[in-house]
Amino acid sequence: MGRLVPAVTRALDILELFLDGDGTLSTPEIVRRLQLPRTTVHELVTTLAARSYLVPVPEQPGRYRLGVRPYQLGSRYAEQLDLAAEGGQVARAVAETCGETVHVAILEGTDVIYIAKVDSTHAVRMVSAAGRRLPAHCTSVGKMLLASLPEEELAARVPDDAELVAMTPNSITDPPALRAALAEVRRRGIALESRESNPDVSCVAAPVRDRSGRVVAALSISVPMIRWSEARRAELEELVVKGATELSGRLGHRSPA
């Protein structure tokens, strides 16, 4: 690894300060927070402003906010993101941690499509494949994605007279019952499926958000019932949230402080 350039590091430290608070800072505030010489900060801020990374705040002399350049760079980064590729990398890390099967899925109509999958390291494991389509109401990822829809959109996709197919005897087939289950998903921020798509498997899922905060996918961990327990469920819920948060961060989402 090459040598870090102090001036570049300090300039980036200044820019990253604007990620917190109300998005505006004065030179004295930057000096105090970074413990840098005032002259150094003044020169760096002047340079960043000259390159449109910072701009003065109108009617607030001495204060700065982010300029258009960081937005342009962020937009360019977002254009290059591949949800399936990023999801696959995060799913692999999660699977390495827990040893179970991990999926990333998106919603299409009333179905989910798995766009990334990493297999369990155990001999007994869930059999599935990336590209597979399943009814959303039978899966933890699907419940998570349906629960994230606005009420009017959910009602349009799953009306009261909808015929919900059953994949196992535990599948939810009654729309009002599904809505009650989705309300619980919203309350907890985690979706649970107990042998609803496979009679031998339970799953937990968490939402994946893009930089606007919109839920664009869900990440799940699937476990055969022979390795399932309440203690294991709690562990996996914590891990699936961590994984979904990591993937959301890669998509540009910033969790509230």
Side-chain angles (χ1 to χ4, degrees):
M1 182 177 178
R3 184 179 71 89
L4 298 180
V5 180
V8 176
T9 299
R10 290 168 178 171
L12 293 174
D13 286 341
I14 290 174
L15 290 175
E16 289 174 1
L17 288 178
F18 288 84
L19 295 174
D20 301 316
D22 65 0
T24 70
L25 289 168
S26 66
T27 300
E29 288 171 336
I30 296 172
V31 169
R32 184 177 69 255
R33 292 175 64 175
L34 294 181
Q35 296 294 296
L36 293 174
R38 183 179 180 86
T39 300
T40 299
V41 171
H42 177 74
E43 291 175 347
L44 289 170
V45 168
T46 299
T47 302
L48 290 169
R51 298 293 297 270
S52 298
Y53 284 89
L54 297 177
V55 295
V57 179
E59 301 179 358
Q60 295 186 45
R63 297 192 71 81
Y64 293 84
R65 61 175 174 79
L66 291 177
V68 69
R69 204 62 177 160
Y71 173 79
Q72 291 172 330
L73 290 173
S75 296
R76 182 58 178 160
Y77 171 74
E79 290 172 0
Q80 296 175 343
L81 285 175
D82 183 329
L83 177 56
E86 297 291 336
Q89 291 179 20
V90 173
R92 190 169 299 108
V94 173
E96 288 174 356
T97 300
C98 66
E100 303 294 353
T101 300
V102 180
H103 293 97
V104 177
I106 58 174
L107 186 66
E108 184 174 284
T110 56
D111 291 340
V112 291
I113 299 176
Y114 294 110
I115 61 171
K117 180 220 175 182
V118 177
D119 281 321
S120 167
T121 56
H122 294 282
V124 178
R125 60 193 181 190
M126 179 180 183
V127 178
S128 64
R132 187 182 184 190
R133 179 190 292 262
L134 290 177
H137 66 278
C138 293
T139 68
S140 60
V141 284
K143 289 180 184 177
M144 192 74 257
L145 292 165
L146 289 174
S148 302
L149 295 174
E151 284 293 344
E152 59 275 13
E153 188 173 347
L154 176 61
R157 296 196 192 202
V158 188
D160 287 338
D161 60 353
E163 295 184 5
L164 302 179
V165 299
M167 295 188 69
T168 77
N170 291 322
S171 300
I172 298 174
T173 58
D174 178 52
L178 175 62
R179 268 186 275 281
L182 298 181
E184 179 66 8
V185 171
R186 293 188 201 98
R187 186 186 70 79
R188 299 191 65 231
I190 294 174
L192 173 67
E193 175 219 325
S194 181
R195 299 174 295 167
E196 296 169 51
S197 63
N198 182 317
D200 301 314
V201 174
S202 284
C203 309
V204 293
V208 175
R209 301 177 185 274
D210 65 11
R211 59 178 178 163
S212 71
R214 184 171 62 93
V215 175
V216 293
L219 185 144
S220 71
I221 302 174
S222 302
V223 185
M225 294 306 298
I226 60 171
R227 292 194 295 275
W228 183 260
S229 67
E230 283 303 300
R232 184 62 168 157
R233 176 189 59 76
E235 292 174 2
L236 295 177
E237 285 184 352
E238 183 176 343
L239 182 58
V240 81
V241 169
K242 183 178 179 180
T245 300
E246 164 68 18
L247 181 51
S248 297
R250 292 187 179 213
L251 299 181
H253 177 67
R254 292 188 72 242
S255 301

